[in-house]
Amino acid sequence: MPGGGSIPGSPRTLASPRPGASQEATRAAAAELGVEFPAELVASLRQHDGALLGEGSFTFPGYEPLSLASLVKDDRMRREVWGRHGEEMPFEGYWHHQYVTLARSGRTDALVLDCREGESFGAVGVHIKGEGTEFGQWPGLAALLQGLADCLEHGSVLELDGRHVPIVEQEMLLWERVHEPRPAPRSVLDLAAAVPPPAVTSPHDTSGDAAAEDMWASGYDAFCLVFVHAVDEGELLRRYGALPATRHRRSRQQAHAEARTDMTQNRAGLFPVVRVGVRGEWAFGIEEGHRQGVRSEVLRRVSHGTRAVAVGFFHGTTTMSFFDHGELVTVYDTGRAFRLDGERDPFEIVPGLPPHDESALRHRGGGLLLPPGPERPTPAQQRTKLREVRDAVFLHFGIDLPPDALTGELDSAHLLPVLPDGRRPVPVPNTLSSLVDAAPPVRLRRVLAAQTASLAAETGLDGYGEIADVLPQVGQEAGPDFTDDSGLGLRLRRTVAEAEAARGPLRDAEGRPLIDHQEVLAWQDRAEAALALADALTRPPQESLGWILHLRQDPHWRQEVRRQLTDDSPAPDRTSRSSH
């Protein structure tokens, strides 16, 4: 193995390094690339010419070592790419034609060797796509390989693409990330609430289309408008996921000020605002600058037992979604001519919809079909499309919303976004899949409960009473009464909203971030764990366990799971409340 290190019990990985490259092949590769290979690289290639690909093959953490042929191919490709751009890099130091790729992460990031003449000759660096190449951690390949050897021999931490430790699983070497302890994060939502809201001003009308002035959407540059049949304002707010304590009548200007994303006002639109009303048989909800109403999760809720139509206008693209009794019927998008699974033809469902934009017709499912054509529609053309969509929707569904329906004060509230649905399951690792498949249902549910509790403890999620109370019930056949609107659901939604707010550039009056980067990461960890907990409570263990394991932070979780999957002892009594 490179560097002479080994780790006991990993014969599959030890057998993966390829035989060394010949001296002639090494010289030819250096000549083709027009560089001098450092002696350390030559010695390493002569010992092992990369590693065989496949499960259990030797890798650095996050990087696959390249063979001599792959090394040449990778660098040739990079030179061709930059050659097409006149050798102009994004910025100085981003890449150099005398860098040689040692190992690659996917097709973008890489470990590189500096083959330029001078003091830096032979140094190993990391190239990150979009960020550039950074040196300084390893003065040469020998230093990297010696650190690797020490890590494999002693099971210590290797600093590469984060902090990793070597783990042996089914006779092969794996790298597990060592997670840094996170601080208890402060609530971004509470900190933001303490910042005075901006003054109420009239939104600026930039539509620039006089022909659209008789529309209800006049002056709205980005909005979502949802129509729901046969419900009242209070029920529509509930289905949206509104916070009851924030409900009162608001003008458009008030709603715009409270939900704006203008960072000069020190607010980040953390809680969208929806204004609602009723016209005839249809209730409506309008959001400006936010798009909760076009989310499938929201449309399933608002259309429960009835019908719902949503019209969105963002970045000049108009969309229309129709849901019937909680089920998707069709989606129309001026910028998307193809249909996704489950979507019926919108032109058959709602006659009179305008044709797709010409630019959208050149793409089907993301694949380019025809040569580039006209540019995107002009703002006037975009507003015309919006008007045509409105006319088709109103005519087909019998909706009547006069131009002045959105003016004045309307019933309204802030929204706590509902949890996403339809997340794709993450499979359990291959090394554990056979044990999971063979585990009796009772044991599998027990493992799911134990792993969920461990993840909650690692991320601090079990510090919330609503979550601590429900952890003993994970995996039980008769699970808790869990909905988006239950106490647990509200806590999980709040946690996800905190993470979303933490990702934004919210700052205090002096321009300083409200929380630091480690707190941002802590909220992201909690939000991911919250969604995984929701899956564990609503999906079979075979579907939900993968996400839980994917998020575990203890690097030795694999051994723990293996013990639990093979443990034949009776299940412990988990009916008592957690100590939190």
Side-chain angles (χ1 to χ4, degrees):
M1 187 169 292
S6 65
I7 188 167
S10 57
R12 294 175 61 182
T13 301
L14 290 171
S16 66
R18 293 159 48 94
S22 67
Q23 185 173 2
E24 294 75 13
T26 305
R27 288 175 177 171
E32 180 174 347
L33 296 177
V35 299
E36 178 186 351
F37 283 170
E40 296 170 351
L41 174 61
V42 173
S44 177
L45 289 170
R46 294 295 306 277
Q47 183 178 6
H48 294 298
D49 186 15
L52 299 173
L53 300 180
E55 187 178 39
S57 295
F58 171 78
T59 65
F60 297 104
Y63 297 89
E64 293 182 353
L66 298 184
S67 65
L68 187 61
S70 296
L71 178 155
V72 172
K73 181 179 179 181
D74 185 274
D75 283 35
R76 186 190 301 127
M77 179 272 295
R78 293 181 186 273
R79 295 182 185 196
E80 290 175 354
V81 168
W82 295 121
R84 288 197 298 269
H85 294 281
E87 299 292 346
E88 294 182 3
M89 304 296 172
F91 50 83
E92 185 177 357
Y94 184 81
W95 185 263
H96 193 278
H97 68 275
Q98 289 185 307
Y99 292 166
V100 171
T101 306
L102 297 173
R104 188 172 54 214
S105 173
R107 294 188 176 183
T108 55
D109 302 341
L111 293 179
V112 300
L113 193 67
D114 191 347
C115 294
R116 296 173 297 178
E117 294 182 359
E119 294 182 359
S120 65
F121 179 74
V124 177
V126 178
H127 174 78
I128 305 296
K129 182 179 180 181
E131 298 182 14
T133 308
E134 182 175 348
F135 295 92
Q137 186 171 354
W138 305 285
L141 181 58
L144 170 61
L145 296 181
Q146 185 59 54
L148 173 67
D150 293 342
C151 172
L152 295 178
E153 183 175 354
H154 303 293
S156 54
V157 172
L158 180 65
E159 298 274 358
L160 176 59
D161 190 30
R163 305 176 73 242
H164 292 80
V165 293
I167 300 294
V168 174
E169 179 76 5
Q170 289 193 334
E171 300 185 340
M172 57 186 176
L173 170 67
L174 303 175
W175 294 101
E176 288 290 348
R177 184 176 293 274
V178 178
H179 291 261
E180 298 288 348
R182 309 281 196 215
R186 290 168 290 174
S187 167
V188 181
L189 300 180
D190 289 346
L191 292 170
V195 179
V200 175
T201 58
S202 298
H204 180 56
D205 178 4
T206 59
S207 64
D209 184 5
E213 289 305 308
D214 62 343
M215 294 177 61
W216 32 255
S218 174
Y220 285 76
D221 296 316
F223 70 89
C224 172
L225 184 58
V226 176
F227 301 95
V228 183
H229 188 254
V231 299
D232 60 22
E233 291 98 328
E235 177 62 13
L236 180 55
L237 286 173
R238 186 194 69 79
R239 295 187 180 199
Y240 255 105
L243 295 166
T246 67
R247 181 182 177 184
H248 63 79
R249 298 184 67 81
R250 290 175 176 85
S251 66
R252 178 191 175 191
Q253 289 79 6
Q254 289 171 319
H256 184 265
E258 292 182 27
R260 68 188 305 171
T261 57
D262 184 355
M263 295 315 303
T264 63
Q265 299 292 339
N266 303 315
R267 298 179 69 84
L270 303 178
F271 289 116
V273 176
V274 61
R275 300 166 65 228
V276 300
V278 174
R279 287 286 177 148
E281 297 181 348
W282 292 83
F284 63 85
I286 177 73
E287 300 170 71
E288 184 170 8
H290 293 272
R291 57 180 75 201
Q292 292 299 311
V294 298
R295 292 177 57 199
S296 60
E297 298 88 351
V298 174
L299 287 170
R300 293 185 207 284
R301 284 171 55 105
V302 300
S303 66
H304 179 72
T306 184
R307 296 175 293 162
V309 184
V311 177
F313 184 71
F314 294 93
H315 307 294
T317 296
T318 302
T319 63
M320 185 280 301
S321 303
F322 174 38
F323 278 65
D324 189 6
H325 287 71
E327 298 294 331
L328 167 67
V329 178
T330 190
V331 173
Y332 166 83
D333 187 331
T334 56
R336 170 166 72 86
F338 57 90
R339 297 202 301 271
L340 301 177
D341 291 344
E343 298 177 357
R344 295 172 58 186
D345 187 344
F347 298 100
E348 292 182 0
I349 303 299
V350 184
L353 289 171
H356 295 105
D357 295 341
E358 289 188 41
S359 57
L361 295 174
R362 300 199 307 273
H363 298 265
R364 293 295 176 95
L368 186 64
L369 292 183
L370 300 173
E375 298 294 329
R376 284 177 53 84
T378 65
Q381 291 170 330
Q382 293 166 353
R383 302 292 296 194
T384 298
K385 283 283 183 74
L386 170 61
R387 184 189 185 101
E388 292 173 346
V389 171
R390 178 211 64 172
D391 291 344
V393 167
F394 284 12
L395 179 63
H396 180 75
F397 293 101
I399 298 172
D400 179 24
L401 194 69
D404 63 349
L406 303 182
T407 60
E409 291 187 345
L410 295 174
D411 200 355
S412 64
H414 285 280
L415 302 180
L416 182 60
V418 299
L419 296 175
D421 61 17
R423 291 206 314 164
R424 293 183 179 180
V426 170
V428 298
N430 290 338
T431 56
L432 297 170
S433 59
S434 60
L435 288 177
V436 170
D437 292 341
V442 172
R443 183 183 303 168
L444 190 58
R445 290 197 297 269
R446 187 171 68 197
V447 173
L448 174 64
Q451 290 300 310
T452 303
S454 295
L455 176 62
E458 290 169 345
T459 58
L461 201 62
D462 62 349
Y464 301 113
E466 305 94 334
I467 293 174
D469 284 339
V470 81
L471 286 174
Q473 303 176 55
V474 173
Q476 295 183 0
E477 291 187 87
D481 183 17
F482 167 56
T483 67
D484 269 2
D485 299 317
S486 65
L488 174 63
L490 291 172
R491 172 55 62 190
L492 297 182
R493 288 163 58 189
R494 173 87 181 197
T495 302
V496 174
E498 289 277 13
E500 185 64 28
R503 280 192 287 266
L506 197 63
R507 297 178 180 273
D508 62 17
E510 283 73 39
R512 297 169 299 194
L514 289 185
I515 63 175
D516 62 35
H517 181 62
Q518 287 299 314
E519 291 176 282
V520 173
L521 296 178
W523 278 122
Q524 292 178 5
D525 290 345
R526 288 190 182 182
E528 291 287 352
L531 294 175
L533 173 59
D535 285 346
L537 293 170
T538 56
R539 292 184 173 186
Q542 291 86 346
E543 293 185 14
S544 54
L545 183 59
W547 265 116
I548 297 291
L549 299 183
H550 175 71
L551 298 171
R552 282 295 313 275
Q553 296 187 358
D554 184 340
H556 302 286
W557 64 266
R558 292 175 186 268
Q559 296 92 320
E560 177 185 306
V561 175
R562 183 174 292 277
R563 287 194 301 269
Q564 293 169 351
L565 285 169
T566 56
D567 183 7
D568 292 324
S569 60
D573 180 9
R574 295 188 289 111
T575 58
S576 60
R577 187 187 185 278
S578 173
S579 59
H580 291 275

